[in-house]
Amino acid sequence: MTQKPPITERARTSLDLLYTISRELAAQLDLRQLLQRVLQLTLENVGAASGSILVLDEAGRVSEGALAFGGAVHDHTAQQLSDTFDRGLAGWVVEHRQAALVPSTRDDPRWLRRPGEQTDGESRSAISVPLIARDRVVGAVTLVHPQVGYFSEEDLALITAIGDQAGVAVENARLYSAERERRRFASTLQEIARTISSALDPALVFPQVLEQLERVIQFESASIQAIDGDRLRLVAARGFADNEAVLGSTMEIREDVFVGRVLSTRKPIVVDDVQQDAAWIKTDDLPESFLIRGWIGAPLLVRDRAVGVLNVDSHRVGAYGPAEVDVVMAFADHAATAVLNAQLFAESQRQVHAMVALADTARAVSASLNLDVVLHRITEQTRSSLGVESALLWLLDEGNGELQFRAASGPRAEAMAGRRISLEQSIAGWAARTGEAVVVEDAASDARFDGRLDRELGFETRQIACAPIQVQDRILGVLEAINPDRGEFPPDQVDLLRGIAGLAGTAIAHAQLFAETQAARQLYAGLFEDSIDPILITDLGGAITDANDRAESFLGYGREDLLGKLALSLQEPEQEMTPDDLAALQPGQTISYRARAWHADGHSLPIEVHTKRIDIGRQPFLQWILRDISERLELDELRGDLTSMLFHDLRSPLGNIISSLEMLQTSAPKKDEGTHSILSIALRSSRRLSRLVDSLLDVGQLEAGKAVLHKTTAPIRSVIAEAVEEVHAVAENKGHALQFRLPADLPQVEMDVDMIRRVLINLLENAIKYTRAGGKITASARRSKGQITVSVSDTGPGIPAREQQHIFDKFTRIQGEGRAKGLGLGLAFCRLAIEAHGGRLWVESEEGKGSTFSFSLPV
Ligand code: ADP
């Protein structure tokens, strides 16, 4: 026990002390050493045995200090110091900003008593003063002496003086070290951020995080654990006896274990002594787990999700407080950023990979239009892009409800040729039926899997991914990837497969379309070349772009000479044809006309032209078929000549028959009605036959444009009367009422009387024939300026409007139930005959109400 020095000596030493302290304080910026020194000097000079000095941070917590007992300054723990502060004399001093002199600790309630300590134990004396700097209490110095009443008021004054000086020095040192700390911390974090942004592999970043952390926080060991499935895996370690050995070790994630709690609460945990807590797991695999006491566990948070834990371990109890937690959290955030970066990078890497793969596929498949080549390239690309053992392509055979093998890359590919699998009993079939992509990680245990193919081929299918190949909504087939090299399909791999299958769909559709177009083109080319008709192909302006062999020989030009010529310059249409008519043609529409085609040597041939708008590969063209009709026309002419000859030769025998019959009729007894009736029938029929022959001959002549030769001037009235007389009997037989409506002043007309009479008889006979029994037939005539108009009206079935133009054509007859039959020649003759007289023949009719045929002749 030290003896208290005499007062004068003490006053001197006090001055010395103050001087020494102020010198030392000015030089010392290391707070810890400074505190120890202040405490040491104070103890020595006051002659105290024990004491403490502590410093508070800005938040008022004990941040640093020193403890002395037995006359020497010792190592301390923050825990011990904060105890003193919170519950002891120093706390009171700081709180009241006031020095305290305690003569007897036993009697002073401000004195800290440890639990179990006897209040009536040995009493001591104590003195405590606040350290004040810039009007703020930054700490306290407390001295203790075993002797009651040891400290005097002078001591208090001395210590207070020291305290005032020390306060500023301590604050300076604290600020200095805090600043230095901050700077070091900032530069460390910066360095880490640099490391992280330049490295994308967490395996590289984590050890660096730990290395940097060591520069700002003391620890025995530190580690990073990352969530791996349902366990935590140790991915970085520092400071362990064998860092390599602990790497990779895993542990269960449990709520009742510290790390589990860190993950679930996503909040850091700081523990003074983990050994006291059941939530700490000790394992022989990690010998340090028995030694660690102070511990911080900080979560690695990625987008609000805890992905791991940063552990900081100390063998010292109470090694870490809130300040360290903040630091560790900052590092944990950095480590988490590394994880996030790595995830993003891996994601973007995969996306880049997928995009490159798709672009490669697109390039590979679009380079060819040959379907087999395209399909093979698709499987090759699938195999390399997805990294699989084998890739297969099946095309749907809808007729049979099967998938037909088309291409493969990988082992046993050749052995697949010709194989088929059912839609119902295969994974590929399932994809084809549902139109959905599928990944099967264990084929053998999938009900859809058909193992027969494997057995036949000696192959083992473990994992399968299938994607339907489709174009719009139509499924064309299935693309299948088997056995990924990595043992399983990464999550987004099926998207890549779907992407390739999508490209495959388009490529297959193109190749098929191309093949079809090729076939159609070949077929067309065949038809084009082999056609017996000359064919020209022109653009819409009529310039020749192609011609077949027959067109060359028919027109007398070489193909080269034909190209570029206007199709219309090689022909002379009977009707007018302009380039506008061609341009107005709609796709598939045809115009047909007759023309004369000009041969290269100058002669011309009759042709029938069929010009049609066709589209070749989306380009519009005109196809001209020039049908040579010269032979047909020659044949027509020949037939015409033959008929005329025939009819001509019929004429005189017919004339003889008629005159003989007439003679018989006059010579037959008047009373013999039977003979008369038979003779008049025979006579009527013969006359009809004769008229028919005459008309047929006339038609030929008139068509050939021959003029009417036997014109005489005669009264039209008598011609009408004769005609009516001729048909009278037949009309009566059918119960028709035959009427005249003829004005008195009918003129003379210049005409071939026989021909006009035949025209009238024809019109009357038609009226009688087509009108049902009991009808009314009226022959009328009316004179108007410069012409006479003769009409025959009936109450028959009438003529549909659409037929009215055609009935005047040769051999045209209206088909219909209940209609009388005829040759369809009569009206053609009538019109030719009337027109040959410079007149006109027409019909006015309403269906069901009768018809009126009229002709006009000039007078
Ligand atoms: P056909 O020898 O058939 O009578 P036509 O040239 O005289 O030949 O007549 C052509 C067609 O016109 C006939 O088939 C008939 O269908 C129709 N036709 C002619 N006259 C009449 C009429 N008065 N009433 C109704 N249809 C008629």
Side-chain angles (χ1 to χ4, degrees), residues 762-763 766-767 769-770 794 797-799 807 809 812-814 819-828 851 853:
N762 231 306
L763 296 179
N766 275 354
K769 183 161 65 169
Y770 295 112
D794 61 49
I799 296 159
I807 50 174
D809 295 340
T812 302
R813 293 166 40 229
I814 300 172
R819 283 190 184 259
K821 303 223 163 28
L823 271 179
L825 198 69
L827 287 176
S851 319
F853 284 85

Side-chain angles (χ1 to χ4, degrees), residues 19-32:
Y19 173 69
T20 314
I21 286 180
S22 68
R23 213 181 47 212
E24 290 212 14
L25 294 188
Q28 189 56 268
L29 274 171
D30 182 317
L31 184 61
R32 201 162 179 173

Side-chain angles (χ1 to χ4, degrees), residues 634-650:
E634 275 169 27
L635 269 175
D636 272 357
E637 208 169 310
L638 198 63
R639 195 177 54 213
D641 290 353
L642 262 173
T643 340
S644 321
M645 255 162 59
L646 199 69
F647 291 144
H648 201 266
D649 289 357
L650 275 175

Side-chain angles (χ1 to χ4, degrees), residues 167-187:
V168 176
V170 160
E171 178 64 357
N172 281 346
R174 197 181 66 80
L175 286 178
Y176 172 76
S177 71
E179 175 58 25
R180 201 181 42 179
E181 201 67 16
R182 249 200 299 277
R183 248 188 260 156
R184 192 155 60 112
F185 187 52
S187 76

Side-chain angles (χ1 to χ4, degrees), residues 815-820:
Q815 308 291 334
E817 251 179 76
R819 283 190 184 259

Side-chain angles (χ1 to χ4, degrees), residues 468-491:
I469 298 172
Q470 57 193 95
V471 171
Q472 275 122 32
D473 286 341
R474 196 161 63 94
I475 306 232
L476 303 179
V478 175
L479 184 59
E480 199 173 35
I482 295 174
N483 298 349
D485 299 341
R486 286 203 252 166
E488 60 181 21
F489 287 105

